[in-house]
Amino acid sequence: MSFPIICQIPAFAGMSDEQNRKKVLSQPFKPKEDELFRTLWEAQAGKCALCGEDMPQNRFETAHSTLWKKLRPTFDHIKPRSKGGPDTPENLQLAHARCNKIKGNK
């Protein structure tokens, strides 16, 4: 028997159950393994393009889910989309979520 999770977080108030689920479960255990991801991963040898440190391949390579949230690989636009950068493989690199956020649209 399962019970629904009732969200008590004020930021999620007024959202539908589906929206809450997407918000809470937005950090997958493993990045989407598509051809572009694998190509970038191999080209960068599993290292962050911004800081040069190793990136974990999945959630279970980190000690805690909070670390996964910060260290998980994300696509980073070399020339930001906000400045006209395209979504092409030549303009993408992999970076830690933390490094990508710090970089912002620079």
Side-chain angles (χ1 to χ4, degrees), residues 73-84:
T74 59
F75 288 105
D76 172 50
H77 289 81
I78 298 166
K79 180 178 181 183
R81 290 175 55 193
S82 64
K83 295 184 178 177

Side-chain angles (χ1 to χ4, degrees), residues 38-69:
R38 283 191 301 276
T39 301
L40 291 172
W41 184 270
E42 290 172 11
Q44 293 177 213
K47 300 206 180 287
C48 174
L50 301 176
C51 73
E53 293 182 22
D54 290 333
M55 292 184 289
Q57 285 190 312
N58 61 56
R59 152 64 184 98
F60 303 103
E61 288 184 12
T62 60
H64 193 272
S65 62
T66 303
L67 290 174
W68 168 248
K69 185 176 178 182

Side-chain angles (χ1 to χ4, degrees), residues 7-73:
C7 185
Q8 300 292 331
I9 303 170
F12 298 154
M15 291 178 148
S16 71
D17 287 341
E18 184 62 26
Q19 288 170 320
N20 276 331
R21 260 192 298 282
K22 286 180 182 176
K23 190 76 170 170
V24 172
L25 301 176
S26 64
Q27 308 298 325
F29 288 121
K30 189 174 181 182
K32 187 176 178 182
E33 290 278 342
D34 61 5
E35 186 177 338
L36 176 60
F37 179 86
R38 283 191 301 276
T39 301
L40 291 172
W41 184 270
E42 290 172 11
Q44 293 177 213
K47 300 206 180 287
C48 174
L50 301 176
C51 73
E53 293 182 22
D54 290 333
M55 292 184 289
Q57 285 190 312
N58 61 56
R59 152 64 184 98
F60 303 103
E61 288 184 12
T62 60
H64 193 272
S65 62
T66 303
L67 290 174
W68 168 248
K69 185 176 178 182
K70 295 175 183 178
L71 300 176
R72 66 188 169 85

